[in-house]
Amino acid sequence: MISVTALAKVPAMVRHAFGDSVLQHANRAAMLDIELIEDRDCFIPHVTMTDFLFEIEKRTKERYIGLMIAPYLSFEGYGCWGDYVLASDTLGTAIRRAASTIGYHSCGEAITLSIKDGLARFAYSSAARGNPAYPHIATGAAAVMASLCRSFAEPKWRPTRIDLDIARPRDAAIFDDAFGCPVAFDRPGAAIWFQAGLLASQRPRRPRRLMTVEDLARARLDPASRGDLIGVIST
């Protein structure tokens, strides 16, 4: 399971780039109109997300859906979990918060943070790995991770390097251009590398709302109302 906020704004991008017909085919493949619930902060099966993205690729022959949606993805769009993580005092605290509470966003996934030779490695392991649509998900995940770092960094900040656990494409240079840094492929996992000093950086803007982990738990475990279980899960 994963929060539908992972796909927030993606349906609108698909409609704009490929037309409403492609979006409707993707919705049918996913057996869910994602646009109707993308702001509801509820859970959907991982297969719903992967089927949605894979159908877009199949219909359009576009191999780099992940790069196309990357500009639309941001940690700020990740609902109450995103608010909780972004309320951290520093980037290091934010990443550790994300790692310890990832279960409130998705199941079967993991976030880790390590430091080596002055560089921090912010890594993500997805439950969708191995799925045909995973290259799109890995690319999108890297964009979201970079957006979290950017929330605590100077405006012109760029990662030192990005790792992707997908096969190296023939035109790999477009990834470097899109992310503004070197991108390495065939790596053990998706990761953002940056100078470890950034971990102590504070966020220049206040979060939209301050949340505690108890608030996050209540938001995840309680439906929007007793008569509306969409607050818990959509299938």
Side-chain angles (χ1 to χ4, degrees), residues 97-148:
R97 274 193 177 191
S100 64
T101 60
I102 184 68
Y104 289 108
H105 174 70
S106 59
C107 300
E109 307 197 329
I111 289 173
T112 58
L113 175 64
S114 58
I115 300 175
K116 182 179 180 181
D117 299 330
L119 290 179
R121 181 179 182 268
F122 171 21
Y124 167 73
S125 175
S126 171
R129 190 175 185 182
N131 186 282
Y134 179 69
H136 309 313
I137 292 169
T139 306
V144 173
M145 294 161 70
S147 83
L148 176 58

Short mmCIF file of all heavy atoms in Angstrom, two decimals, residues 97-148:
data_model
loop_
_atom_site.label_atom_id
_atom_site.label_comp_id
_atom_site.label_asym_id
_atom_site.label_seq_id
_atom_site.Cartn_x
_atom_site.Cartn_y
_atom_site.Cartn_z
N ARG A 97 13.13 11.50 10.48
CA ARG A 97 11.69 11.41 10.69
C ARG A 97 11.03 10.59 9.59
O ARG A 97 10.17 9.75 9.84
CB ARG A 97 11.06 12.81 10.71
CG ARG A 97 11.07 13.51 12.02
CD ARG A 97 10.15 14.73 11.98
NE ARG A 97 10.08 15.38 13.26
CZ ARG A 97 9.21 16.34 13.58
NH1 ARG A 97 8.34 16.74 12.67
NH2 ARG A 97 9.20 16.88 14.77
N ALA A 98 11.43 10.87 8.35
CA ALA A 98 10.87 10.13 7.22
C ALA A 98 11.18 8.64 7.35
O ALA A 98 10.33 7.78 7.10
CB ALA A 98 11.44 10.67 5.91
N ALA A 99 12.41 8.32 7.78
CA ALA A 99 12.81 6.92 7.91
C ALA A 99 12.01 6.21 9.00
O ALA A 99 11.59 5.05 8.82
CB ALA A 99 14.30 6.84 8.23
N SER A 100 11.78 6.89 10.11
CA SER A 100 11.10 6.24 11.23
C SER A 100 9.60 6.16 11.08
O SER A 100 8.93 5.38 11.76
CB SER A 100 11.45 6.97 12.55
OG SER A 100 10.94 8.30 12.53
N THR A 101 9.04 6.95 10.14
CA THR A 101 7.58 6.98 9.99
C THR A 101 7.14 6.61 8.58
O THR A 101 5.99 6.86 8.21
CB THR A 101 7.03 8.39 10.33
OG1 THR A 101 7.61 9.36 9.44
CG2 THR A 101 7.32 8.75 11.77
N ILE A 102 8.03 6.01 7.77
CA ILE A 102 7.69 5.67 6.39
C ILE A 102 6.42 4.81 6.31
O ILE A 102 5.68 4.86 5.33
CB ILE A 102 8.88 4.98 5.68
CG1 ILE A 102 8.57 4.70 4.20
CG2 ILE A 102 9.26 3.70 6.39
CD1 ILE A 102 8.48 5.93 3.35
N GLY A 103 6.16 4.05 7.36
CA GLY A 103 4.97 3.21 7.36
C GLY A 103 3.67 3.98 7.32
O GLY A 103 2.63 3.42 6.96
N TYR A 104 3.72 5.27 7.65
CA TYR A 104 2.52 6.09 7.55
C TYR A 104 2.30 6.58 6.12
O TYR A 104 1.28 7.20 5.83
CB TYR A 104 2.62 7.30 8.49
CG TYR A 104 2.49 6.92 9.95
CD1 TYR A 104 3.61 6.97 10.79
CD2 TYR A 104 1.28 6.51 10.49
CE1 TYR A 104 3.50 6.63 12.12
CE2 TYR A 104 1.17 6.17 11.82
CZ TYR A 104 2.28 6.22 12.64
OH TYR A 104 2.17 5.89 13.96
N HIS A 105 3.28 6.34 5.26
CA HIS A 105 3.16 6.73 3.85
C HIS A 105 3.01 5.52 2.94
O HIS A 105 2.26 5.56 1.96
CB HIS A 105 4.39 7.53 3.41
CG HIS A 105 4.43 7.87 1.96
ND1 HIS A 105 3.56 8.77 1.38
CD2 HIS A 105 5.21 7.40 0.95
CE1 HIS A 105 3.81 8.85 0.09
NE2 HIS A 105 4.81 8.04 -0.20
N SER A 106 3.71 4.43 3.25
CA SER A 106 3.67 3.25 2.41
C SER A 106 4.09 2.03 3.20
O SER A 106 4.69 2.14 4.28
CB SER A 106 4.58 3.42 1.18
OG SER A 106 5.92 3.64 1.62
N CYS A 107 3.81 0.86 2.65
CA CYS A 107 4.17 -0.40 3.29
C CYS A 107 5.27 -1.09 2.49
O CYS A 107 5.30 -1.03 1.26
CB CYS A 107 2.96 -1.33 3.38
SG CYS A 107 1.60 -0.64 4.34
N GLY A 108 6.19 -1.76 3.19
CA GLY A 108 7.24 -2.53 2.53
C GLY A 108 8.35 -1.68 1.95
O GLY A 108 9.11 -2.16 1.10
N GLU A 109 8.51 -0.44 2.41
CA GLU A 109 9.53 0.45 1.90
C GLU A 109 10.45 0.91 3.03
O GLU A 109 10.12 0.75 4.21
CB GLU A 109 8.90 1.63 1.17
CG GLU A 109 7.89 1.16 0.11
CD GLU A 109 7.54 2.21 -0.91
OE1 GLU A 109 7.54 3.39 -0.57
OE2 GLU A 109 7.25 1.83 -2.05
N ALA A 110 11.59 1.47 2.68
CA ALA A 110 12.55 1.88 3.70
C ALA A 110 13.34 3.09 3.24
O ALA A 110 13.62 3.26 2.05
CB ALA A 110 13.49 0.72 4.03
N ILE A 111 13.70 3.93 4.20
CA ILE A 111 14.58 5.08 3.98
C ILE A 111 15.76 4.95 4.92
O ILE A 111 15.60 4.61 6.09
CB ILE A 111 13.82 6.40 4.25
CG1 ILE A 111 12.79 6.67 3.14
CG2 ILE A 111 14.78 7.58 4.35
CD1 ILE A 111 11.89 7.84 3.42
N THR A 112 16.96 5.20 4.42
CA THR A 112 18.16 5.15 5.25
C THR A 112 19.01 6.39 5.01
O THR A 112 18.95 7.01 3.95
CB THR A 112 19.00 3.89 4.97
OG1 THR A 112 19.37 3.87 3.57
CG2 THR A 112 18.21 2.63 5.29
N LEU A 113 19.82 6.71 6.01
CA LEU A 113 20.74 7.84 5.92
C LEU A 113 22.09 7.38 6.45
O LEU A 113 22.18 6.84 7.56
CB LEU A 113 20.23 9.02 6.74
CG LEU A 113 21.16 10.25 6.84
CD1 LEU A 113 21.37 10.87 5.47
CD2 LEU A 113 20.58 11.26 7.82
N SER A 114 23.13 7.60 5.66
CA SER A 114 24.48 7.25 6.09
C SER A 114 25.44 8.34 5.63
O SER A 114 25.11 9.14 4.76
CB SER A 114 24.90 5.89 5.53
OG SER A 114 24.83 5.89 4.11
N ILE A 115 26.62 8.37 6.24
CA ILE A 115 27.63 9.37 5.90
C ILE A 115 28.96 8.66 5.63
O ILE A 115 29.38 7.80 6.41
CB ILE A 115 27.80 10.40 7.03
CG1 ILE A 115 26.48 11.13 7.28
CG2 ILE A 115 28.90 11.41 6.69
CD1 ILE A 115 26.52 12.08 8.47
N LYS A 116 29.61 9.04 4.53
CA LYS A 116 30.90 8.46 4.19
C LYS A 116 31.75 9.52 3.51
O LYS A 116 31.33 10.13 2.53
CB LYS A 116 30.72 7.25 3.26
CG LYS A 116 32.02 6.57 2.89
CD LYS A 116 31.78 5.35 1.99
CE LYS A 116 33.09 4.67 1.63
NZ LYS A 116 32.87 3.50 0.74
N ASP A 117 32.96 9.72 4.02
CA ASP A 117 33.92 10.67 3.43
C ASP A 117 33.32 12.05 3.22
O ASP A 117 33.53 12.70 2.18
CB ASP A 117 34.46 10.12 2.10
CG ASP A 117 35.21 8.80 2.28
OD1 ASP A 117 35.80 8.60 3.35
OD2 ASP A 117 35.18 7.98 1.34
N GLY A 118 32.55 12.51 4.19
CA GLY A 118 31.99 13.85 4.12
C GLY A 118 30.74 13.98 3.28
O GLY A 118 30.21 15.08 3.13
N LEU A 119 30.26 12.88 2.70
CA LEU A 119 29.05 12.89 1.89
C LEU A 119 27.93 12.12 2.59
O LEU A 119 28.17 11.05 3.16
CB LEU A 119 29.31 12.27 0.52
CG LEU A 119 30.19 13.06 -0.45
CD1 LEU A 119 30.36 12.27 -1.75
CD2 LEU A 119 29.60 14.43 -0.75
N ALA A 120 26.74 12.68 2.54
CA ALA A 120 25.56 12.01 3.08
C ALA A 120 24.88 11.24 1.95
O ALA A 120 24.80 11.72 0.82
CB ALA A 120 24.60 13.02 3.68
N ARG A 121 24.41 10.03 2.28
CA ARG A 121 23.67 9.20 1.33
C ARG A 121 22.26 8.99 1.86
O ARG A 121 22.05 8.32 2.87
CB ARG A 121 24.36 7.85 1.12
CG ARG A 121 23.65 6.93 0.12
CD ARG A 121 24.41 5.62 -0.04
NE ARG A 121 23.79 4.74 -1.03
CZ ARG A 121 22.87 3.80 -0.74
NH1 ARG A 121 22.47 3.64 0.54
NH2 ARG A 121 22.35 3.05 -1.69
N PHE A 122 21.31 9.59 1.20
CA PHE A 122 19.88 9.52 1.55
C PHE A 122 19.27 8.52 0.57
O PHE A 122 19.13 8.81 -0.61
CB PHE A 122 19.31 10.93 1.41
CG PHE A 122 17.82 11.06 1.53
CD1 PHE A 122 17.02 10.12 2.14
CD2 PHE A 122 17.21 12.21 1.01
CE1 PHE A 122 15.65 10.27 2.24
CE2 PHE A 122 15.84 12.38 1.09
CZ PHE A 122 15.06 11.42 1.71
N ALA A 123 18.93 7.33 1.07
CA ALA A 123 18.53 6.24 0.18
C ALA A 123 17.10 5.79 0.43
O ALA A 123 16.57 5.91 1.54
CB ALA A 123 19.48 5.06 0.35
N TYR A 124 16.51 5.23 -0.62
CA TYR A 124 15.11 4.80 -0.58
C TYR A 124 14.98 3.44 -1.26
O TYR A 124 15.52 3.22 -2.35
CB TYR A 124 14.24 5.83 -1.30
CG TYR A 124 12.83 5.40 -1.62
CD1 TYR A 124 11.87 5.30 -0.62
CD2 TYR A 124 12.45 5.13 -2.94
CE1 TYR A 124 10.57 4.93 -0.92
CE2 TYR A 124 11.16 4.77 -3.25
CZ TYR A 124 10.22 4.67 -2.23
OH TYR A 124 8.93 4.30 -2.53
N SER A 125 14.26 2.54 -0.60
CA SER A 125 13.99 1.21 -1.16
C SER A 125 12.49 1.07 -1.36
O SER A 125 11.71 1.24 -0.41
CB SER A 125 14.50 0.13 -0.20
OG SER A 125 14.15 -1.16 -0.67
N SER A 126 12.07 0.78 -2.58
CA SER A 126 10.65 0.73 -2.93
C SER A 126 10.13 -0.70 -3.01
O SER A 126 10.82 -1.59 -3.51
CB SER A 126 10.42 1.42 -4.28
OG SER A 126 9.10 1.22 -4.73
N ALA A 127 8.90 -0.88 -2.56
CA ALA A 127 8.24 -2.18 -2.67
C ALA A 127 7.88 -2.50 -4.12
O ALA A 127 7.56 -3.64 -4.44
CB ALA A 127 6.99 -2.20 -1.81
N ALA A 128 7.94 -1.51 -4.99
CA ALA A 128 7.59 -1.72 -6.40
C ALA A 128 8.77 -2.20 -7.24
O ALA A 128 8.63 -2.42 -8.44
CB ALA A 128 7.03 -0.44 -7.00
N ARG A 129 9.93 -2.36 -6.63
CA ARG A 129 11.11 -2.78 -7.38
C ARG A 129 10.85 -4.12 -8.06
O ARG A 129 10.33 -5.05 -7.47
CB ARG A 129 12.32 -2.88 -6.45
CG ARG A 129 13.63 -3.06 -7.18
CD ARG A 129 14.80 -3.03 -6.21
NE ARG A 129 16.07 -3.09 -6.91
CZ ARG A 129 17.25 -3.12 -6.31
NH1 ARG A 129 17.32 -3.09 -4.99
NH2 ARG A 129 18.35 -3.15 -7.03
N GLY A 130 11.23 -4.20 -9.33
CA GLY A 130 10.98 -5.41 -10.11
C GLY A 130 9.75 -5.31 -10.99
O GLY A 130 9.59 -6.10 -11.92
N ASN A 131 8.89 -4.36 -10.73
CA ASN A 131 7.71 -4.14 -11.56
C ASN A 131 8.13 -3.46 -12.87
O ASN A 131 9.07 -2.67 -12.88
CB ASN A 131 6.72 -3.27 -10.80
CG ASN A 131 5.40 -3.09 -11.52
OD1 ASN A 131 5.30 -2.31 -12.47
ND2 ASN A 131 4.40 -3.82 -11.09
N PRO A 132 7.46 -3.75 -13.98
CA PRO A 132 7.83 -3.10 -15.25
C PRO A 132 7.81 -1.58 -15.20
O PRO A 132 8.55 -0.92 -15.94
CB PRO A 132 6.77 -3.63 -16.23
CG PRO A 132 6.35 -4.95 -15.66
CD PRO A 132 6.40 -4.77 -14.18
N ALA A 133 6.99 -1.02 -14.33
CA ALA A 133 6.90 0.44 -14.22
C ALA A 133 7.91 1.01 -13.23
O ALA A 133 7.96 2.23 -13.04
CB ALA A 133 5.49 0.86 -13.81
N TYR A 134 8.75 0.16 -12.63
CA TYR A 134 9.64 0.64 -11.58
C TYR A 134 10.61 1.74 -12.03
O TYR A 134 10.89 2.66 -11.25
CB TYR A 134 10.42 -0.51 -10.95
CG TYR A 134 11.36 -0.01 -9.88
CD1 TYR A 134 10.86 0.50 -8.69
CD2 TYR A 134 12.74 -0.01 -10.07
CE1 TYR A 134 11.71 1.00 -7.72
CE2 TYR A 134 13.60 0.49 -9.10
CZ TYR A 134 13.08 0.99 -7.92
OH TYR A 134 13.91 1.50 -6.96
N PRO A 135 11.15 1.71 -13.25
CA PRO A 135 12.03 2.81 -13.65
C PRO A 135 11.40 4.19 -13.49
O PRO A 135 12.06 5.16 -13.11
CB PRO A 135 12.36 2.50 -15.11
CG PRO A 135 12.28 1.01 -15.18
CD PRO A 135 11.13 0.65 -14.27
N HIS A 136 10.09 4.29 -13.76
CA HIS A 136 9.39 5.56 -13.59
C HIS A 136 9.30 5.91 -12.10
O HIS A 136 9.46 7.07 -11.71
CB HIS A 136 7.99 5.50 -14.19
CG HIS A 136 7.95 4.99 -15.59
ND1 HIS A 136 8.80 5.45 -16.57
CD2 HIS A 136 7.17 4.05 -16.19
CE1 HIS A 136 8.55 4.82 -17.71
NE2 HIS A 136 7.57 3.98 -17.50
N ILE A 137 9.03 4.90 -11.28
CA ILE A 137 8.87 5.13 -9.85
C ILE A 137 10.20 5.52 -9.22
O ILE A 137 10.27 6.44 -8.39
CB ILE A 137 8.30 3.86 -9.18
CG1 ILE A 137 6.86 3.65 -9.66
CG2 ILE A 137 8.36 3.96 -7.66
CD1 ILE A 137 6.27 2.32 -9.29
N ALA A 138 11.28 4.85 -9.60
CA ALA A 138 12.60 5.18 -9.06
C ALA A 138 13.00 6.60 -9.41
O ALA A 138 13.53 7.35 -8.57
CB ALA A 138 13.64 4.19 -9.58
N THR A 139 12.75 6.99 -10.65
CA THR A 139 13.09 8.35 -11.08
C THR A 139 12.26 9.38 -10.34
O THR A 139 12.78 10.41 -9.87
CB THR A 139 12.87 8.49 -12.59
OG1 THR A 139 13.60 7.47 -13.28
CG2 THR A 139 13.33 9.85 -13.09
N GLY A 140 10.97 9.11 -10.20
CA GLY A 140 10.11 10.02 -9.46
C GLY A 140 10.50 10.12 -7.99
O GLY A 140 10.48 11.19 -7.40
N ALA A 141 10.87 8.97 -7.41
CA ALA A 141 11.28 8.96 -6.00
C ALA A 141 12.53 9.81 -5.80
O ALA A 141 12.64 10.56 -4.82
CB ALA A 141 11.54 7.52 -5.55
N ALA A 142 13.47 9.73 -6.73
CA ALA A 142 14.68 10.55 -6.64
C ALA A 142 14.33 12.03 -6.68
O ALA A 142 14.92 12.85 -5.95
CB ALA A 142 15.64 10.20 -7.77
N ALA A 143 13.35 12.39 -7.50
CA ALA A 143 12.93 13.79 -7.58
C ALA A 143 12.32 14.26 -6.26
O ALA A 143 12.57 15.38 -5.81
CB ALA A 143 11.92 13.96 -8.72
N VAL A 144 11.52 13.40 -5.64
CA VAL A 144 10.90 13.76 -4.36
C VAL A 144 11.96 13.88 -3.26
O VAL A 144 11.94 14.81 -2.45
CB VAL A 144 9.84 12.72 -3.97
CG1 VAL A 144 9.32 12.99 -2.56
CG2 VAL A 144 8.68 12.74 -4.96
N MET A 145 12.91 12.95 -3.24
CA MET A 145 14.00 13.01 -2.25
C MET A 145 14.81 14.29 -2.42
O MET A 145 15.17 14.96 -1.45
CB MET A 145 14.88 11.77 -2.39
CG MET A 145 14.16 10.48 -2.03
SD MET A 145 14.99 9.03 -2.71
CE MET A 145 16.49 8.98 -1.73
N ALA A 146 15.11 14.63 -3.66
CA ALA A 146 15.85 15.86 -3.92
C ALA A 146 15.05 17.08 -3.49
O ALA A 146 15.61 18.06 -2.99
CB ALA A 146 16.21 15.96 -5.40
N SER A 147 13.72 17.02 -3.65
CA SER A 147 12.88 18.16 -3.25
C SER A 147 12.92 18.34 -1.74
O SER A 147 12.87 19.48 -1.25
CB SER A 147 11.44 17.97 -3.73
OG SER A 147 10.69 17.17 -2.86
N LEU A 148 13.00 17.24 -0.98
CA LEU A 148 13.11 17.35 0.47
C LEU A 148 14.42 18.04 0.84
O LEU A 148 14.43 18.97 1.66
CB LEU A 148 13.04 15.97 1.12
CG LEU A 148 13.25 15.94 2.64
CD1 LEU A 148 12.23 16.82 3.35
CD2 LEU A 148 13.19 14.51 3.16
#
